[in-house]
C-alpha cells in the first residue's frame, strides 16, 4: 500500500469529486493545483477548502475549483489524503485524473479506499461492509440501518462477545496447564452461564438476516391471479402510473413485468405475471410457467381474485400456488356488485382485503398489511438487523460452536472439550471483525464496491 491512488468518487451531477490517498497524495495534488493565496497545499491546514486553479497534463488550466487536504492518521484511510472538488464535467474529471497519473499516481481499484481503511485499522470488517450497504441503500430505513452498522452496531457487540469467550478460554487454559490442581466446579458453572447467554444472542443475530435481507434488497413480491382478475391494474395502482397494458382480453400479460415500489418503510420488487388458466397457446403457457416459478421464489404473494365473479377452477390454482407462502388475498373490483364468497379465502389466507385497483378504494389497508406480513413491522432500524449473508453464516457457525461448548461444560467433559468449541466460535466471530479472515475473502468483499469508494 505504499503507492498513491486516485479515483472519481462522485456519481455525476454539477459537482465532481476526485479522491487521492497515499504517501504522495498531498504532494501530487499540489503539483496540479495552484492555490489562489499562493501557499502550496503541502503547507495547508487539514480539512479546509482552498480555492485555486486546476491544471491538466500540459499545464493548461482546466477548472477553477477547490482542494482540501487531510493529514494522517486522522483520515478515512489512515493515510495522507487530498480531494479535488471540481465542476462535474466528465471531461474535466478525466483530465484531472490524467494529470494526477502523470505525477505517478495510479487508478484506484474497486473498493480500495475502504480496503485501506480496514487494513490500517480505521474500520472493522463489518463496518467496511456496511459502507457498501450505505452506498447502495434504496430506502431511508436501509440507509439508517447501514449507517448504524458503519458506527459499530454489529462489530461492537461481536467484539464484546469474542472478548468474553477469549477470557473464558484463558481461564480454562490455566486449568489445563496445571493438571494436578483440582478443577473448581464454579469454573464450569460460570462458563455454562456465559455460553448459554452467548448462544442465545448469536442465534438471534443470525436469524435477523432474513428480515435484514428484505430491508436491504427489497421484498420479492409476485402478483398472482386468473386472467382479468385485475393484476395489471393493481400493479399500475401500486406504481401510481400506467406501466402494464390493461384490457378485457384474457391472456394480455404473457411475460413477467418487474418494477420496484416503496411501501411505507419497505421496497417491494413487484412482478406482474400471466393469468393462471388452462391454455393451448404455447406462448401464454410459457408465461404461466414462469409465473408459477416466480411465485415459488417470492417472499410475498398478492393473490388477486375477481370479486364480481364466483370462485372458479382457475382461482383454485391461485389458492394452491399461494399455500405455504406469505400471502395476502385481494378481492378486487369492489366497485362492482360482489359475487365472490370470501369464506373459502378466509380459510386459506391470514389476511383478506377488499379493494378496487381501478378506483384505489381499499389500497391503504393493503399497504398497511404488507410490512407485518413479511416480518418487518414497527421497529427502529438501529443496525441490529444483519444484512450480510457472510456475516449471518459466521454468526450461525459461532452459535453452533458455543452450543457445543455449553453441552461440554454441562456434561462434565474435560476442559479441553469446552476450549476446542469455544475457540471455534472465536474464530467464526473473527471472520466478522476481520481478525481471522483470509486474504481471498477480503479481496472478494471489496471487489463488490464501486471504484472510488
Amino acid at each position: 500500500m505504499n503507492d498513491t491512488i486516485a479515483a472519481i468518487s462522485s456519481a455525476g451531477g454539477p459537482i465532481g469529486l476526485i479522491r487521492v490517498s497515499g504517501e504522495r497524495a498531498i504532494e501530487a495534488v499540489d503539483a496540479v493545483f495552484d492555490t489562489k493565496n499562493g501557499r502550496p497545499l503541502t503547507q495547508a491546514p487539514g480539512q479546509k477548502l482552498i480555492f485555486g486553479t486546476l491544471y491538466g497534463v500540459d499545464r493548461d488550466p482546466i477548472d477553477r475549483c477547490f482542494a482540501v487536504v487531510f493529514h494522517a492518521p486522522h483520515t478515512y484511510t489512515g493515510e495522507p489524503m487530498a480531494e479535488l472538488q471540481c465542476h462535474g464535467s466528465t471531461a474535466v474529471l478525466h483530465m484531472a485524473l490524467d494529470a494526477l497519473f502523470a505525477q505517478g499516481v495510479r487508478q484506484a481499484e474497486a473498493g480500495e479506499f475502504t480496503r485501506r481503511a480496514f487494513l490500517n485499522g480505521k474500520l472493522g470488517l463489518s463496518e467496511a461492509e456496511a459502507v457498501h450497504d450505505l452506498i447502495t441503500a434504496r430506502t431511508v430505513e436501509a440507509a439508517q440501518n447501514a449507517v448504524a452498522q458503519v458506527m459499530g452496531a454489529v462489530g461492537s457487540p461481536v467484539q464484546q462477545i469474542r472478548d468474553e469467550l477469549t477470557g473464558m478460554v484463558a481461564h480454562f487454559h490455566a486449568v489445563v496447564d496445571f493438571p494436578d490442581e483440582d478443577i473448581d466446579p464454579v469454573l464450569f458453572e460460570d462458563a455454562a452461564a456465559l455460553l448459554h447467554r452467548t448462544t442465545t444472542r448469536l442465534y438471534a443475530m443470525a436469524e435477523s438476516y432474513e428480515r435484514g435481507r428484505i430491508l436491504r434488497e427489497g421484498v420479492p413480491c409476485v402478483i398472482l391471479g386468473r386472467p382479468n382478475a385485475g393484476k395489471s391494474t393493481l400493479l399500475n395502482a401500486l406504481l401510481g402510473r400506467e406501466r402494464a397494458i390493461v384490457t378485457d382480453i384474457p391472456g394480455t400479460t404473457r411475460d413477467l413485468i418487474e418494477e420496484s415500489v416503496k411501501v411505507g418503510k419497505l421496497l417491494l420488487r413487484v412482478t406482474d405475471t400471466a393469468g393462471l388458466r388452462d391454455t393451448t397457446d404455447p406462448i401464454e403457457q410459457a408465461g404461466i410457467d414462469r409465473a408459477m416459478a416466480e411465485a415459488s421464489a417470492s417472499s410475498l404473494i398478492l393473490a388477486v381474485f375477481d370479486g364480481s365473479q364466483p370462485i372458479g377452477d382457475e382461482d383454485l390454482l391461485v389458492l394452491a400456488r399461494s399455500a405455504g407462502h406469505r400471502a395476502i388475498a385481494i378481492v378486487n373490483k369492489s366497485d362492482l356488485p360482489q359475487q365472490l364468497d370470501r369464506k373459502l379465502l378466509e380459510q386459506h389466507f391470514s389476511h383478506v382485503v377488499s379493494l378496487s385497483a381501478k378506483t384505489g378504494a381499499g389500497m391503504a389497508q393493503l399497504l398497511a398489511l404488507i410490512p407485518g406480513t413479511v416480518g418487518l413491522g414497527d421497529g427502529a432500524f438501529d443496525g441490529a438487523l444483519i444484512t450480510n449473508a457472510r456475516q449471518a453464516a459466521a454468526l450461525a457457525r459461532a452459535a453452533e460452536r458455543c452450543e457445543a461448548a455449553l453441552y461440554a461444560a454441562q456434561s462434565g467433559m474435560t476442559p479441553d472439550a469446552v476450549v476446542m468449541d469455544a475457540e471455534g466460535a472465536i474464530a467464526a466471530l473473527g471472520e466478522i471483525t476481520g481478525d481471522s479472515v483470509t486474504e481471498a475473502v477480503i479481496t472478494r468483499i471489496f471487489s463488490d464496491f464501486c471504484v472510488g469508494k
Side-chain angles (χ1 to χ4, degrees), residues 158-233:
V158 166
Q159 187 61 56
Q160 178 190 8
I161 293 171
R162 198 167 184 267
D163 290 343
E164 290 175 347
L165 291 173
T166 300
M168 182 199 74
V169 166
H171 281 90
F172 273 98
H173 273 303
V175 171
V176 173
D177 289 342
F178 297 96
D180 294 334
E181 298 289 335
D182 292 333
I183 300 176
D184 188 346
V186 174
L187 179 63
F188 284 96
E189 292 173 6
D190 290 346
L194 171 62
L195 290 166
H196 183 275
R197 182 172 67 251
T198 300
T199 300
T200 302
R201 190 176 183 187
L202 290 174
Y203 273 129
M205 293 178 70
E207 289 167 1
S208 74
Y209 170 66
E210 180 59 28
R211 291 181 295 133
R213 182 186 62 79
I214 287 174
L215 176 67
R216 180 171 61 87
E217 300 176 2
V219 182
C221 170
V222 64
I223 302 175
L224 214 59
R226 73 184 190 185
N228 280 0
K231 301 182 301 301
S232 296
T233 306

Side-chain angles (χ1 to χ4, degrees), residues 76-389:
Y76 180 72
T77 62
E79 304 170 334
M81 293 187 68
E83 290 180 356
L84 289 166
Q85 297 185 15
C86 316
H87 291 93
S89 162
T90 301
V92 168
L93 292 172
H94 281 93
M95 284 190 290
L97 275 182
D98 288 341
L100 289 169
F101 295 158
Q103 298 299 318
V105 178
R106 70 164 173 83
Q107 172 68 53
E109 299 174 359
E112 190 169 2
F113 291 99
T114 304
R115 179 171 181 163
R116 290 187 176 204
F118 163 66
L119 293 175
N120 289 326
K122 305 299 288 187
L123 290 172
L125 191 56
S126 64
E127 288 81 11
E129 288 178 296
V131 170
H132 182 268
D133 281 357
L134 183 58
I135 293 169
T136 57
R138 300 174 67 184
T139 66
V140 171
E141 292 73 24
Q144 289 174 339
N145 197 72
V147 76
Q149 293 186 356
V150 171
M151 298 173 69
V154 172
S156 293
V158 166
Q159 187 61 56
Q160 178 190 8
I161 293 171
R162 198 167 184 267
D163 290 343
E164 290 175 347
L165 291 173
T166 300
M168 182 199 74
V169 166
H171 281 90
F172 273 98
H173 273 303
V175 171
V176 173
D177 289 342
F178 297 96
D180 294 334
E181 298 289 335
D182 292 333
I183 300 176
D184 188 346
V186 174
L187 179 63
F188 284 96
E189 292 173 6
D190 290 346
L194 171 62
L195 290 166
H196 183 275
R197 182 172 67 251
T198 300
T199 300
T200 302
R201 190 176 183 187
L202 290 174
Y203 273 129
M205 293 178 70
E207 289 167 1
S208 74
Y209 170 66
E210 180 59 28
R211 291 181 295 133
R213 182 186 62 79
I214 287 174
L215 176 67
R216 180 171 61 87
E217 300 176 2
V219 182
C221 170
V222 64
I223 302 175
L224 214 59
R226 73 184 190 185
N228 280 0
K231 301 182 301 301
S232 296
T233 306
L234 176 61
L235 174 64
N236 291 339
L238 288 169
L239 295 174
R241 60 185 174 86
E242 297 295 317
R243 170 63 177 86
I245 298 172
V246 178
T247 75
D248 293 331
I249 303 171
T252 300
T253 302
R254 296 189 171 199
D255 205 352
L256 304 180
I257 300 176
E258 300 178 1
E259 289 286 347
S260 294
V261 58
K262 183 78 183 295
V263 175
K265 299 177 180 180
L266 294 178
L267 185 73
L268 279 190
R269 291 162 32 214
V270 186
T271 303
D272 184 20
T273 61
L276 303 189
R277 66 170 179 172
D278 291 327
T279 178
T280 58
D281 185 329
I283 298 177
E284 184 180 358
Q285 184 60 51
I288 292 171
D289 292 341
R290 293 189 67 184
M292 301 288 265
E294 192 73 16
S296 297
S298 293
S299 297
L300 176 66
I301 293 176
L302 299 181
V304 183
F305 301 88
D306 185 346
S308 68
Q309 301 291 330
I311 291 285
D313 291 341
E314 294 159 344
D315 294 312
L316 297 180
L317 288 175
V318 180
L319 284 174
R321 178 51 62 186
S322 302
H325 291 268
R326 291 173 174 170
I328 298 174
I330 299 170
V331 182
N332 192 26
K333 304 185 183 180
S334 63
D335 52 312
L336 300 177
Q338 298 294 285
Q339 296 189 44
L340 185 143
D341 185 352
R342 292 170 56 109
K343 292 181 180 179
L344 180 61
L345 300 184
E346 290 169 350
Q347 292 173 5
H348 288 81
F349 295 92
S350 299
H351 302 291
V352 180
V353 179
S354 291
L355 65 78
S356 170
K358 182 178 180 180
T359 67
M363 185 65 70
Q365 182 185 359
L366 170 63
L367 298 182
L369 284 172
I370 289 174
T373 302
V374 298
L376 273 178
D378 295 335
F381 297 96
D382 55 3
L385 293 180
I386 301 299
T387 56
N388 183 290

